[in-house]
Amino acid sequence: MTEKINDGTPTPHIEAKNGDFAKTVLMPGDPMRAKFIAENHLENAVLVNKVRGAYGYTGLYKGKPVSVMTSGMGQPSMGIYSYELFRFYGVENIIRIGSCGSFDKDLHLRDLVIALGVCSSGNFAKQYGLPGEFAPIADFKLAKLAAEECEKRGVNHKIGNVLCSEYFYDDGNRQLEWTKMGVLGVEMESAALYCNAARLGKKALCICAVSDSFVHPEENLTADEREKSLDSLIGTALEVAAKIS
């Protein structure tokens, strides 16, 4: 767990005390996935947050302190939780472990996408008042470790750009236009995470498992399968966390 930093905790959205979170936090969108990971993959896991059902736990993985906490859905929710963890709880690394819809013909269910860069249909970066467009990117060391772990495990994966969308239901199906630029898939949280990490001098990575496909529409995971059957995603992220903790 982190040392106490005595800086604004608890926050409006997290009831944990200083030092309750590890330096590295895995962030699934689903609170039940956070609970599942804590109960099945961490030793001595302790619940440190349950405000608004945003479950957060800290425990041990291979003897290393690791936390897991839900981010909720969308950039506003991820923006709040990742900012408070980075800014007030001394968290240094956040690894988003989520699901995505694939745009790529070679990606199928449960394959992994390592988001090296993020395109966005949202306005999260507008707050910085930059004289141009900010390009959110992952921490290269984290991305490299994740890719190496995928190779070690024999997990089919691709590394590249993803689209972080502001909406789930696309009126007009314009999201597929991003395939012209080689974008691998779509999710909803990475841009806010990468922006917060950049602004606060922290490290972030988004790894997504393919849960459905725009190219192979017959392929999709149920809600229960998304929660409990993404072993390659969880295992890869935990191994990365253990190496940097």
Side-chain angles (χ1 to χ4, degrees), residues 9-100:
T9 59
T11 67
H13 308 93
I14 302 175
E15 64 187 346
K17 302 184 297 297
N18 287 326
D20 279 352
F21 284 100
K23 293 285 189 183
T24 300
V25 179
L26 308 189
M27 294 200 82
D30 183 354
M32 298 312 295
R33 192 182 302 157
K35 184 174 185 289
F36 176 83
I37 293 169
E39 292 178 348
N40 292 276
H41 295 275
L42 298 183
E43 296 179 4
N44 306 318
V46 176
L47 179 68
V48 296
N49 186 70
K50 59 181 185 299
V51 175
R52 295 174 179 254
Y55 297 138
Y57 301 83
T58 297
L60 298 174
Y61 179 75
K62 293 188 174 180
K64 302 291 184 66
V66 176
S67 295
V68 56
M69 181 175 167
T70 181
S71 69
M73 289 189 289
Q75 292 191 62
S77 185
M78 170 61 87
I80 289 170
Y81 289 119
S82 62
Y83 184 91
E84 292 185 0
L85 289 171
F86 280 145
R87 174 68 179 80
F88 300 112
Y89 286 95
V91 171
E92 294 295 328
N93 314 287
I94 294 179
I95 303 173
R96 163 164 156 67
I97 47 173
S99 58
C100 69

Side-chain angles (χ1 to χ4, degrees), residues 139-178:
D139 178 78
F140 182 74
K141 178 181 177 181
L142 296 184
K144 184 172 182 287
L145 287 172
E148 289 172 349
E149 187 62 28
C150 286
E151 293 287 349
K152 177 181 175 182
R153 290 168 170 263
V155 175
N156 190 43
H157 66 286
K158 285 200 172 186
I159 307 166
N161 259 329
V162 299
L163 168 64
C164 186
S165 178
E166 282 284 83
Y167 41 84
F168 186 86
Y169 297 104
D170 178 7
D171 187 6
N173 209 28
R174 294 296 302 277
Q175 289 182 347
L176 286 173
E177 295 295 315
W178 291 94

